[in-house]
């Protein structure tokens, strides 16, 4: 903590310096991941709206836009407020709106931010319309379309879309369009399944938008996306914008799906060896679930990576070494069962990297990133993360 | 967030006011839980060293001591520093010491805090002795004794204890004693198993201390404890202090073990209903795993509570309603499978409480507590939590 207090000479610090555990971010990999999706979508006449919930950092968000600003999706109003403070003006709050949050939505719009909300019920539309009328500010909303039964939304042919649209457009708010998210794509394991999930997501959103337009609504926005479908989609006819978040850092769940390689993972926790239990085949580190999160997303995949793969500070993986166990401030490193690998010699004080099951969850456990570039251990910057709601 | 900015009139605020999701703490239950363990241990000539890692709050820590200060265990040096700032002077850092953390340990000792470290290897003892000599400050250490193979430590009869003791006492540091923790107790499901785990923990620590004393070391401290064993232990012969942490809040894992009832749970997340999917039997709320944590500790118990039981704001449980699913900012409430209960009518905007699987993990997701007393919804105080390491 103290090693990076403001005013210290950061140029001299490396990943060997900050007290462990801490969150490390490889900026070179972030840049590569951002470029990959941008190039992937370049042939399509759509805009990209990166989801900032993974990084929760204005510095990372500006990397999406070569140092400038552009459209963002966020998962909390705290993120929206932080990005607004940094100059972002086109923000989608992509969680179904609670009426009690509309004051903060209006405040952001008063500041000049085109803050768009999400909803899937007439009750929410009534609340949004009432707040719009009371403030004299039309709040724009997307209707959430459920394409695969994973969370909120209404089905593409649900007639309630028309009532919601009528309440918004007739009540002082604004129907901006529709949104779908292929939650199913996180459980796809072949290119074919991913392409099908992407097409299903597109079809659901486009169908819903067409129904609204046939009823006389403008509904200009058709927003779809998830990291797996954005990276595999082949047809974007009728879509106006693509959202994706996780791809900026990637993680072991995404590698398990096959949309990235382990070498693409930009985020890790760095921890220190504090003990050895050779009789159990364990090496203990000072990073537990407070540092990695309790997320065990790969437990449902064909290769269970425990709490994460283990690498050295330069990023080289130790063969079949995983963080197999975690308590609050202890991690237990062990060799993957049945692999035949042997426990590497990691003396007391050795620093190791833990690669995340789920980058969004690992990030949430921390307040800041120690930023470096590729194999260089030099800490180039310290970036804060937005917390809370 | 803004509703409780400093300077506002907090007296007027209730659990209906702060933006959701947020962490609520029932101070009346905390007081009751603290009293229970205190009374339980009163017949024994031991001191109590509560583990502050669950609450990470000076205000809660002072409740252990009727507003004063006393011994604490902590899981991070950031906690130690925060409690030192609040006047606590007897602090055990109960995670195996990494040599790179010794500068901060020395700094705390220079401030007048009796900061004690934990170790289980000659390498750590050498580092502690070297730091003590270099600073001219004897750092006291406990040797971690493994009583049930759950994490770090050496076995009670491991001859390495004597070499560690010799390095400390002969090298300018101080052997303060031994520590054991019955990690196994979290997997006990009968009173008989719990009593046996407590006796095993006591026996291991006392045996190890006796061996050290026979070799001429003073080793005054014999520290044992976990919430389940502290609440069931019948014999504390030879023990000088008992540690327990979770009991201050309790949680569904502890209720599953049987050492508390659900009514004892002091911590919860309050979230708002944002949608309904009656065709799936789902009610959606604006609290996901960022609010509850990903901890699913009850999944390994006989009754799986999902991401937590659901109650109304006054604390009354909805029959068999659990938070069955979670994404980053969405919780999915559903009725326990096979229960036959029906989904309660929870209109848009309704606030509900989610009770935690694991109080330590839910707490870590938040920066502060909204404190209330029992069924009163009035927010009596806002207490900050210590973050980071």
């Amino acid at each position: 903590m103290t090693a990076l207090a403001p005013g210290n000479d950061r140029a001299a610090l490396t990943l060997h310096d900050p007290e462990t555990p801490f969150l490390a971010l490889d900026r070179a990999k972030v840049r590569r991941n951002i470029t990959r999706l941008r190039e992937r979508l370049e042939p399509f006449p759509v805009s990209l709206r990166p989801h900032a919930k993974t990084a929760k950092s204005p510095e990372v968000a500006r990397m999406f836009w070569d140092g400038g600003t552009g459209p963002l999706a966020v998962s909390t109003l705290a993120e929206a407020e932080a990005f607004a403070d940094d100059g972002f003006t086109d923000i989608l709050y992509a969680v179904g709106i609670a009426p009690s949050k509309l004051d903060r939505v209006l405040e952001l719009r008063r500041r000049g931010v085109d803050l768009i909300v999400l909803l899937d019920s007439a009750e929410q539309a009534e609340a949004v319309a009432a707040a719009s009328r009371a403030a004299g500010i039309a709040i724009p909303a997307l209707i959430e379309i459920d394409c695969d039964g994973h969370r909120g939304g209404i089905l593409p042919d649900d007639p309630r879309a028309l009532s919601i649209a009528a309440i918004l457009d007739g009540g002082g708010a604004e129907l901006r369009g529709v949104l779908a998210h292929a939650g199913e794509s996180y459980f796809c394991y072949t290119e074919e399944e991913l392409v099908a999930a992407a097409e299903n997501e597109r079809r659901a959103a486009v169908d819903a938008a067409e129904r609204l337009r046939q009823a006389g609504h403008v509904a200009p926005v058709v927003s779809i996306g998830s990291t797996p479908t954005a990276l595999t989609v082949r047809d974007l006819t009728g879509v106006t914008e693509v959202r994706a978040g996780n791809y900026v850092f990637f993680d072991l769940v995404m590698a398990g799906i096959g949309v990235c390689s382990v070498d693409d993972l930009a985020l890790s926790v760095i921890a220190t060896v504090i003990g050895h239990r050779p009789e159990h085949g364990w090496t203990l580190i000072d990073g537990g679930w407070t540092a990695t999160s309790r997320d065990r997303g790969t437990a449902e995949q064909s290769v269970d990576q425990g709490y994460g793969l283990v690498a050295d500070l330069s990023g080289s993986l130790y063969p079949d070494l995983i963080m197999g166990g975690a308590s609050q401030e202890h991690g237990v490193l062990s060799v993957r069962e049945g692999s035949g690998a042997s426990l590497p010699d990691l003396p007391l004080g050795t620093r190791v990297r833990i690669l995340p099951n789920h980058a969004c969850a690992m990030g949430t456990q921390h307040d800041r990133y120690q930023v470096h570039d590729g194999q260089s251990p030099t800490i180039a910057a310290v970036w804060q993360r937005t917390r809370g709601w």
Side-chain angles (χ1 to χ4, degrees), chain A residues 201-221:
Chain A
E201 185 184 52
R202 182 194 74 82
R203 190 76 256 164
V206 171
D207 281 359
E210 280 171 7
R211 281 166 194 271
L212 290 165
R213 290 168 188 156
Q214 280 162 13
H217 296 284
V218 180
V221 170

Side-chain angles (χ1 to χ4, degrees), chain A residues 311-354:
Chain A
D312 65 18
L313 279 204
S314 78
S316 297
L317 292 172
Y318 294 105
D320 285 303
L321 189 66
I322 62 172
M323 179 164 149
S327 51
Q328 187 158 347
E329 298 294 344
H330 296 79
V332 180
L333 310 186
S334 56
V335 160
R336 190 191 305 280
E337 259 184 73
S339 70
S342 45
L343 198 63
D345 179 32
L346 299 171
L348 178 73
T350 305
R351 292 186 169 210
V352 297
R353 275 177 193 273
I354 311 298

